[in-house]
Amino acid sequence: MSSPFSRSAGSVTAGPVTSGSVTSGSDDSATAGMAPVQETFSLLSRMEISELDETSRAELARRCRWQGWESRHMSAAKAAELIQDGMTVGMSGFTRAGEAKALPLALVEKARREPFSITLMTGASLGNDLDGQMADAHMLARRMPFQVDPVLRRAINAGEVMFIDQHLSETVELLRNHQLSDMNVAVVEACAITADGGIVPTTSVGNSASYAILADKVIIELNLESPAALEGLHDIYIPQMRPSRQPIPIVAPDSRIGTPYIPIDPDKIAAIVLTCGHDSPSSCAPGDVDTQRIAGHLVELLKQEVVLGRLTPSLLPLQAGIGSMANAVMSGLKDGPFEHLTMYSEVLQDSTFDLLDAGKLDFASGSSITVTEERGRTLWKDLERYRDRLILRPQELSNHPGIVRRLGVIAVNTALEFDIYGNVNSTHVCGTRMMNGIGGSGDFARNAQLSVFITKSLAKGGDISSVVPFASHVDHTEHDVDILVTEHGLADLRGLAPRERAELIIEHCSDPSYRPALRAYFEEACQRGGHTPHCLEQALSWHREVEVHGHMRAMRSLLDARALA
C-alpha cells in the first residue's frame, strides 16, 4: 500500500498507528499501565496542504473530488473539538478494518486534558489498539455492539463501561427507529470522496453508511495510504423505513443493488482530516492438527450432504466467523471435492483469498476485509485482480436474517463452550465475564440452512473442557444449532430429541479425559426424568471448579467428579 505521501511527508508513518509498545491483540498484561498517548496520530493531518509535493497533490486531487473540501479540512485535534461530553458517536470499523486512525487518538488526548465521556457505536471491533486507549482514557461511558480489546474487556467486566452486546444486524435498525440515542457525530474512514460529497469507504463498510446518513455531523478521515483499488468494491444499499419497506433484492452473493459510495448531504460534512496509515493485521494463527481434524470432519459431512442430494458440489454460500479456528477450517475446504463455491459472510479473511487463489471460490460477499500481515503484503498491492469477485456491503445486509435464509447459507461459527444438549456459549467465560460479544453468529445460526459450531474440546492445555453438562451462558439455544464439531468428531443434531443429542455429543465431541464424568452426569440426570434431564445442583459445578481452582481437572476422575457434585 505504498503512497507518495509516505515518502514526501517526512514524519508520516506507513505502519499501524500505536502508542508505545502496545500492539493490537496483545494480552491484558501487555496493556496494563499504558503510558499517556503521544502525538503519533494522523501525521498528515498536522501538515499544511502547501507542504505537499506535486505528486502528492495530484493523488490528493484524484482521491478528493468534492470541490468544497478545503474549507472543511482541519487537523484531527481540531476535529475532536466537535465531539463533546455526553454525545453519541458512530465510528467506522469492522473487525479491525476500516476504522478511523487519527480522530480516536485525538479524542484520547483531549480526554486526558479535559475528562469527558461518550457513547461509542461501531460496526464491530476497532484496530490499532483504539478501543483499549479510549477505555484507558476513561472516555467510554457506553460501547456497542462488539469489541475484542483486552483493556476494554477489563473495563467492561469491572462495570466501568456499559457494554451492549448486540446481533450485528440489529444496531442500525434500532438507531434508525429511534430506539437508541440519536447520533450526534459519525466518523468514517474513506479512500475517496466523490464529486457530490459521497464517501467511498476503505476496507470495511460495517455500520458506516447508516451512521453517516443518520448523524447530525460527519467527520471524514481521508486515508491516502489506503489502496485506490478499493473504489468500486462497495455496494451501499439502505433499506426503506418500516412499514413500507420493500424486499431487499439480493438473490445471490454477487447481486449488486446499491451505489459504490455512501450518499450523504455534503452540508453535513463538518471536517475532513487527511490521514495515512494501515489497518491492524489479523492475528489469526495458522491451522494445527486439531483444526485440520475439525476441517476434515466438516468436509466429510458436506460430502455426505452432496451424496444424499441435499447439496450440489458447489454447496451453498459459505459464512465463517472471525478468528483463527474458523479461518483455518474454511481454508481446509481447499482440499475437498467442491468447486465453484461462493461466500456470503461478514469478514473476508485469509481463507477467502486462499480459496480464490485455489480456484475453488468464485465470488465472496462480506462487510470487511481483515487479513494477516503475511497475506496483506501481497493482497493490498494486487487487490485489482480480485475486484470482480468481491463485494463489501453494510453489515445489516451481510448479516440480514432474511437474506441468509433466502440464500441458504452454510454458517460456521466458533463456540467458547457447548453443553450436552447443544446450547452454545459464544461470549461469557464461566457465565459472567464478557469475552468479545455475540457478533454476527446469531444472525446466521438461526437462519442458515446448516448452522455449524466448532471448537476444540479442551482449553487451557486440557484444564478446561469445552463440552460441559450445562452451558454457563447461552447465546445460541439448541433450537438454532444443527452441527457441533470438535477435533474428536461431529454431532449431527438435526431431528434429534434432547436425550439423543446428549449421547451423540458426549461420545463424538467431548475429550476422552472428561467423557466418563459427562456420561455419569447424564445417566444420573436421566434417572431423575424430564424432557431435558438435569441435576440442577451439579449443572454448573464444572464452572464452579474453574472459579475456585482455575481448572476442571477434578472432573477427569469420575469418583472425584461425583464427590464434588
Side-chain angles (χ1 to χ4, degrees):
M1 289 199 293
S2 60
S3 162
F5 297 89
S6 59
R7 294 193 297 271
S8 64
S11 59
V12 174
T13 58
V17 181
T18 60
S19 173
S21 61
V22 178
T23 56
S24 186
S26 56
D27 63 18
D28 285 9
S29 61
T31 49
M34 184 182 297
V37 176
Q38 314 216 341
E39 289 189 79
T40 56
F41 61 85
S42 184
L43 299 175
L44 256 184
S45 73
R46 304 204 312 248
M47 295 179 58
E48 297 295 330
I49 302 301
S50 59
E51 296 179 32
L52 300 180
D53 62 22
E54 185 176 342
T55 302
S56 300
R57 284 172 171 274
E59 176 68 6
L60 179 56
R62 192 178 72 79
R63 298 270 192 148
C64 193
R65 302 186 289 274
W66 181 47
Q67 292 299 312
W69 80 271
E70 288 189 353
S71 65
R72 313 291 169 89
H73 171 243
M74 62 182 70
S75 69
K78 185 176 180 180
E81 295 304 316
L82 298 170
I83 296 175
Q84 300 298 320
D85 184 52
M87 281 187 169
T88 297
V89 178
M91 289 188 181
S92 63
F94 192 101
T95 59
R96 305 201 303 177
E99 77 280 346
K101 309 295 190 296
L103 192 77
L105 290 178
L107 289 171
V108 168
E109 286 209 335
K110 176 182 174 181
R112 295 191 187 282
R113 295 191 312 268
E114 312 161 13
F116 75 101
S117 62
I118 61 172
T119 291
L120 177 62
M121 302 181 188
T122 59
S125 53
L126 301 179
N128 288 303
D129 298 307
L130 296 176
D131 266 325
Q133 295 189 57
M134 287 189 283
D136 191 63
H138 306 290
M139 57 168 282
L140 300 180
R142 192 171 296 269
R143 178 75 170 86
M144 64 184 79
F146 187 82
Q147 59 78 43
V148 300
D149 187 272
V151 177
L152 177 55
R153 182 185 304 133
R154 190 162 56 241
I156 290 167
N157 288 322
E160 297 166 6
V161 176
M162 296 295 104
F163 178 60
I164 296 88
D165 186 22
Q166 292 178 321
H167 297 299
L168 294 187
S169 66
E170 285 192 332
T171 304
V172 294
E173 285 283 24
L174 294 170
L175 187 65
R176 184 182 293 126
N177 290 285
H178 304 288
Q179 294 170 281
L180 298 172
S181 299
D182 290 344
M183 183 158 289
N184 302 112
V185 179
V187 183
V188 180
E189 183 181 69
C191 69
I193 303 175
T194 68
D196 57 359
I199 304 170
V200 182
T202 57
T203 49
S204 73
V205 180
N207 285 327
S208 301
S210 288
Y211 290 166
I213 290 167
L214 295 171
D216 298 329
K217 296 179 180 179
V218 179
I219 298 172
I220 301 174
E221 281 201 11
L222 183 58
N223 185 347
L224 297 158
E225 191 74 19
S226 61
L230 287 167
E231 188 164 5
L233 207 63
H234 310 89
D235 187 42
I236 310 300
Y237 175 94
I238 305 298
Q240 294 93 347
M241 290 294 291
R242 298 165 176 151
S244 57
R245 178 175 298 176
Q246 298 299 303
I248 298 170
I250 294 176
V251 296
D254 60 354
S255 295
R256 280 193 172 272
I257 63 172
T259 61
Y261 58 87
I262 301 169
I264 63 167
D265 178 355
D267 288 342
K268 294 205 307 182
I269 300 175
I272 296 175
V273 178
L274 301 182
T275 64
C276 199
H278 293 175
D279 293 337
S280 297
S282 165
S283 57
C284 280
D288 56 21
V289 172
D290 287 342
T291 56
Q292 290 172 6
R293 288 173 178 166
I294 292 170
H297 297 317
L298 186 56
V299 166
E300 288 303 311
L301 169 77
L302 295 174
K303 286 166 62 177
Q304 185 65 19
E305 293 290 295
V306 173
V307 169
L308 293 173
R310 296 170 179 163
L311 295 172
T312 70
S314 59
L315 305 179
L316 284 164
L318 302 166
Q319 178 264 338
I322 187 69
S324 300
M325 194 176 307
N327 182 66
V329 168
M330 198 57 59
S331 287
L333 293 177
K334 296 196 308 292
D335 302 321
F338 315 111
E339 302 288 345
H340 301 296
L341 299 172
T342 58
M343 183 172 286
Y344 195 84
S345 193
E346 308 157 286
V347 188
L348 306 184
Q349 303 178 81
D350 285 26
S351 56
T352 302
F353 299 95
D354 291 345
L355 291 169
L356 285 168
D357 290 345
K360 292 284 190 175
L361 185 66
D362 287 353
F363 197 90
S365 168
S367 192
S368 74
I369 299 174
T370 303
V371 294
T372 61
E373 185 174 2
E374 181 179 4
R375 168 59 76 170
R377 280 196 290 268
T378 57
L379 174 63
W380 300 125
K381 66 183 181 182
D382 200 23
L383 185 62
E384 187 73 35
R385 75 184 181 95
Y386 296 100
R387 275 167 50 92
D388 62 346
R389 294 180 286 169
L390 300 175
I391 283 180
L392 294 181
R393 308 182 190 276
Q395 68 193 65
E396 66 175 318
L397 298 187
S398 67
N399 293 44
H400 193 282
I403 298 172
V404 172
R405 183 161 290 199
R406 177 187 300 160
L407 299 182
V409 168
I410 297 172
V412 181
N413 289 287
T414 305
L416 282 180
E417 66 177 5
F418 54 79
D419 66 31
I420 60 175
Y421 297 112
N423 299 295
V424 172
N425 174 13
S426 297
T427 59
H428 286 72
V429 176
C430 286
T432 60
R433 294 187 294 281
M434 171 60 66
M435 250 326 256
N436 301 326
I438 193 169
S441 56
D443 296 322
F444 289 92
R446 178 157 290 186
N447 300 284
Q449 172 148 326
L450 270 181
S451 176
V452 181
F453 281 91
I454 61 174
T455 188
K456 294 184 181 182
S457 66
L458 299 173
K460 290 187 69 174
D463 283 353
I464 293 176
S465 173
S466 301
V467 184
V468 293
F470 195 15
S472 59
H473 176 91
V474 176
D475 293 292
H476 314 282
T477 74
E478 58 178 302
H479 308 291
D480 300 334
V481 180
D482 296 324
I483 311 291
L484 293 172
V485 192
T486 71
E487 73 276 18
H488 295 297
L490 177 148
D492 186 343
L493 309 180
R494 291 173 291 179
L496 300 184
R499 294 184 186 222
E500 296 170 311
R501 287 171 172 240
E503 291 180 353
L504 206 60
I505 291 168
I506 292 170
E507 298 306 318
H508 288 258
C509 297
S510 66
D511 188 81
S513 62
Y514 289 95
R515 200 169 291 163
L518 289 169
R519 288 181 186 139
Y521 175 89
F522 178 58
E523 289 168 3
E524 182 175 346
C526 287
Q527 290 172 8
R528 301 186 187 188
H531 177 252
T532 305
H534 270 300
C535 306
L536 293 181
E537 76 284 1
Q538 301 177 34
L540 295 176
S541 62
W542 293 44
H543 301 90
R544 178 62 178 164
E545 281 294 294
V546 177
E547 287 287 295
V548 174
H549 302 293
H551 58 77
M552 295 177 179
R553 289 198 297 266
M555 298 303 174
R556 293 179 182 177
S557 166
L558 184 56
L559 291 176
D560 287 346
R562 284 177 167 165
L564 287 166

